[in-house]
């Protein structure tokens, strides 16, 4: 049973060590993520499932203890999903994709402990229907009270200097995403256009549609905590509880 969800952006720049001198520009986003994780903690879940973008369609499962790193961004910073190494990860050589690594960093930053954690990576090629099925499985197949930390960014095409250059479709797309997340509207998230999301480089589409599948019958209420587009990329933070 899904009892709560937190939606957070996942740019590596959210990590101050990666952002370096630009770190203050995302202070408001970091604060919103902290507040969102507070809502998850208040729901007192029995298990936390972290869902984020991956390079392959997936779904790829990452057990508790899977390591991640930000060394590729020039900083000596490693993270781990959850507080204890998972026996399943020993000797596998697997690492968290960057979105889940940001999620692990957020959990470590807020002192998340005690509740078991697992990760699921889903990529832009995973169809909407399959994402929804993954979400339904998360809500139905795991025992007890389930919380989701859902990571992903909106469009990367909001300005001329954005990673995807300016696309006039980006702002309306992001506005609908923010509305749907703030209103806890699973149907609207499920209806997001997969092709358009890919063209706008919106890494959150698949994770959000996993959330839609998990929350279809949960009856949760939403709250939009943050919506902005620094660097021309749409970042959204919200809670469902």
């Amino acid at each position: 049973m899904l009892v709560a969800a937190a939606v957070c952006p996942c740019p590596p720049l959210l990590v101050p060590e990666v952002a370096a001198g630009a770190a203050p520009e995302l202070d408001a986003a970091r604060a919103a993520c902290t507040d969102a994780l507070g809502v998850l903690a208040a729901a007192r879940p029995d298990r936390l499932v972290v869902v984020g973008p991956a390079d392959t369609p997936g779904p790829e499962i990452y057990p508790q203890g899977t390591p991640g790193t930000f060394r590729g961004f020039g900083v000596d910073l490693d993270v781990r999903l959850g507080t204890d190494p998972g026996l399943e990860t020993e000797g596998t050589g697997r690492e968290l994709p960057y979105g889940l690594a940001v999620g692990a960093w957020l959990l470590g930053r807020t002192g998340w402990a005690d509740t078991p954690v697992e990760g699921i990576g889903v990529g832009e090629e995973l169809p909407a229907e399959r994402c929804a099925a993954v979400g339904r499985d998360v809500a139905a197949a795991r025992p007890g009270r389930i919380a989701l930390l859902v990571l992903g960014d909106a469009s990367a095409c909001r300005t001329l200097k954005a990673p995807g250059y300016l696309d006039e479709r980006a702002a309306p797309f992001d506005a609908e995403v923010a509305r749907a997340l703030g209103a806890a509207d699973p149907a609207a998230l499920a209806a997001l256009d997969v092709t358009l999301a890919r063209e706008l480089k919106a890494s959150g589409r698949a994770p959000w549609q996993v959330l839609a599948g998990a929350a279809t019958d949960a009856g949760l209420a939403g709250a939009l905590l943050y919506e902005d587009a620094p660097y021309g990329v749409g970042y959204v933070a919200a809670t469902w509880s």
Side-chain angles (χ1 to χ4, degrees), residues 26 45 48 84 88 117 134 138 148 172 185 206 213 237:
L26 290 181
L48 174 66
D84 297 317
E88 303 93 332
V117 180
V134 172
V138 166
L148 291 181
D185 187 343

Side-chain angles (χ1 to χ4, degrees), residues 108-121:
R109 179 175 184 259
T110 55
W112 189 278
D114 299 327
T115 304
V117 180
E118 68 176 287
I120 301 177

Side-chain angles (χ1 to χ4, degrees), residues 3 45 67 77 105 117-119 138 153-154 203-204 233:
V3 296
L77 177 63
W105 175 81
V117 180
E118 68 176 287
V138 166
D153 301 334
S203 69
V233 181

Side-chain angles (χ1 to χ4, degrees), residues 16-36:
E17 290 89 339
V18 175
E25 297 178 30
L26 290 181
D27 279 349
R30 292 185 195 95
C33 292
T34 298
D35 291 344

Side-chain angles (χ1 to χ4, degrees), residues 155 158-159 174 226-235:
S155 73
R158 291 281 291 272
T159 67
D174 288 1
Y226 177 86
E227 193 276 322
D228 202 356
Y231 317 116
V233 181
Y235 299 146

